[in-house]
Amino acid sequence: AQSVTQLDSHVSVSEGTPVLLRCNYSSSYSPSLFWYVQHPNKGLQLLLKYTSAATLVKGINGFEAEFKKSETSFHLTKPSAHMSDAAEYFCVVSVSNAGNMLTFGGGTRLMVKP
Amino acid sequence: DGGITQSPKYLFRKEGQNVTLSCEQNLNHDAMYWYRQDPGQGLRLIYYSQIVNDFQKGDIAEGYSVSREKKESFPLTVTSAQKNPTAFYLCASSSPWTGYNEQFFGPGTRLTVL
């Protein structure tokens, strides 16, 4: 079975400063990993995905994540936060032997201060 | 304009009533999913369907039912047997071309039991 742990339920940054949202995963097989973003009362939008190609993955809106197998981590970063980045972020794992079902982390709420 | 639509956006139900949430997609995706989201938590899978006229229970199927008579549509019925139905419900779809593991989400329906 696979699992995902998002290490921070809330992260607060100032506009213009770097963002780091931490995610650790557990999987017996090679995983696919995703970050989704959810704005209040909206559906989820895919930010980026890792599917065993390059370990540094670039996504939309300046976000990127690095797959580190030795650390079982897939942290999300952005060099400079914008007010519009304030939202809930979900780290998600999927493995082919589990029917490609998605397992979600508990989410990290990012707050951006002016 | 391809995508997933969910209706209604907000739904209020009296205790003891069944209600049906609509989910339609025009992405020509084979697989569709229903998730439940509670405050401060990740998404939990209720039901999924990979082909028409076939569906499987997810992690929290008790008190819910679905049908898949058409490829485009996957309605979810919340029955009176669901003990705590107040939540945000999200529908998603995926395609075998991405190995099913990249899911596209609708905007959600917020259900409140009065």
Side-chain angles (χ1 to χ4, degrees):
Chain A
Q2 66 266 24
S3 65
V4 179
T5 302
Q6 291 184 242
L7 298 165
D8 306 291
S9 60
H10 293 80
V11 169
S12 181
V13 301
S14 297
E15 191 174 21
T17 65
V19 175
L20 170 64
L21 305 183
R22 298 182 296 164
C23 172
N24 285 108
Y25 70 92
S26 172
S27 171
S28 302
Y29 297 87
S30 295
S32 295
L33 292 157
F34 307 82
W35 277 98
Y36 281 88
V37 61
Q38 183 182 34
H39 292 276
N41 290 310
K42 302 288 187 187
L44 275 68
Q45 180 185 16
L46 181 67
L47 273 181
L48 50 81
K49 63 179 179 180
Y50 165 79
T51 54
S52 77
T55 56
L56 182 61
V57 182
K58 293 189 184 299
I60 61 172
N61 300 335
F63 285 95
E64 63 181 38
E66 186 171 8
F67 173 70
K68 291 188 177 180
K69 186 175 180 179
S70 61
E71 298 176 10
T72 61
S73 70
F74 191 58
H75 302 333
L76 182 70
T77 60
K78 182 173 180 177
S80 176
H82 191 272
M83 294 297 290
S84 61
D85 295 328
E88 186 96 20
Y89 291 80
F90 293 97
C91 184
V92 181
V93 65
S94 167
V95 292
S96 58
N97 74 317
N100 288 314
M101 291 296 113
L102 303 186
T103 299
F104 287 79
T108 297
R109 181 162 298 280
L110 176 65
M111 294 166 282
V112 182
K113 298 176 289 188
Chain B
D1 202 15
I4 302 177
T5 57
Q6 292 185 242
S7 62
K9 187 177 175 68
Y10 298 95
L11 186 57
F12 298 91
R13 186 193 97 173
K14 293 182 181 178
E15 283 196 28
Q17 284 183 334
N18 292 356
V19 289
T20 297
L21 283 59
S22 169
C23 177
E24 304 275 334
Q25 55 98 0
N26 61 5
L27 299 167
N28 199 31
H29 284 175
D30 294 302
M32 297 186 74
Y33 311 81
W34 274 106
Y35 293 91
R36 171 183 171 135
Q37 185 179 25
D38 292 285
Q41 296 188 32
L43 279 63
R44 292 182 290 168
L45 183 65
I46 304 173
Y47 268 99
Y48 65 101
S49 166
Q50 294 192 313
I51 56 172
V52 174
N53 293 323
D54 188 43
F55 47 82
Q56 284 77 41
K57 293 182 179 180
D59 301 319
I60 55 164
E62 185 175 350
Y64 300 97
S65 66
V66 293
S67 63
R68 187 87 187 276
E69 297 176 2
K70 297 186 299 182
K71 187 176 184 178
E72 303 79 27
S73 177
F74 191 41
L76 173 75
T77 296
V78 184
T79 75
S80 57
Q82 169 48 234
K83 301 257 186 289
N84 185 19
T86 294
F88 191 49
Y89 290 87
L90 287 156
C91 179
S93 69
S94 69
S95 164
W97 303 111
T98 55
Y100 289 111
N101 61 10
E102 181 177 339
Q103 295 183 12
F104 295 81
F105 286 82
T109 292
R110 184 165 297 283
L111 173 63
T112 303
V113 174
L114 304 173

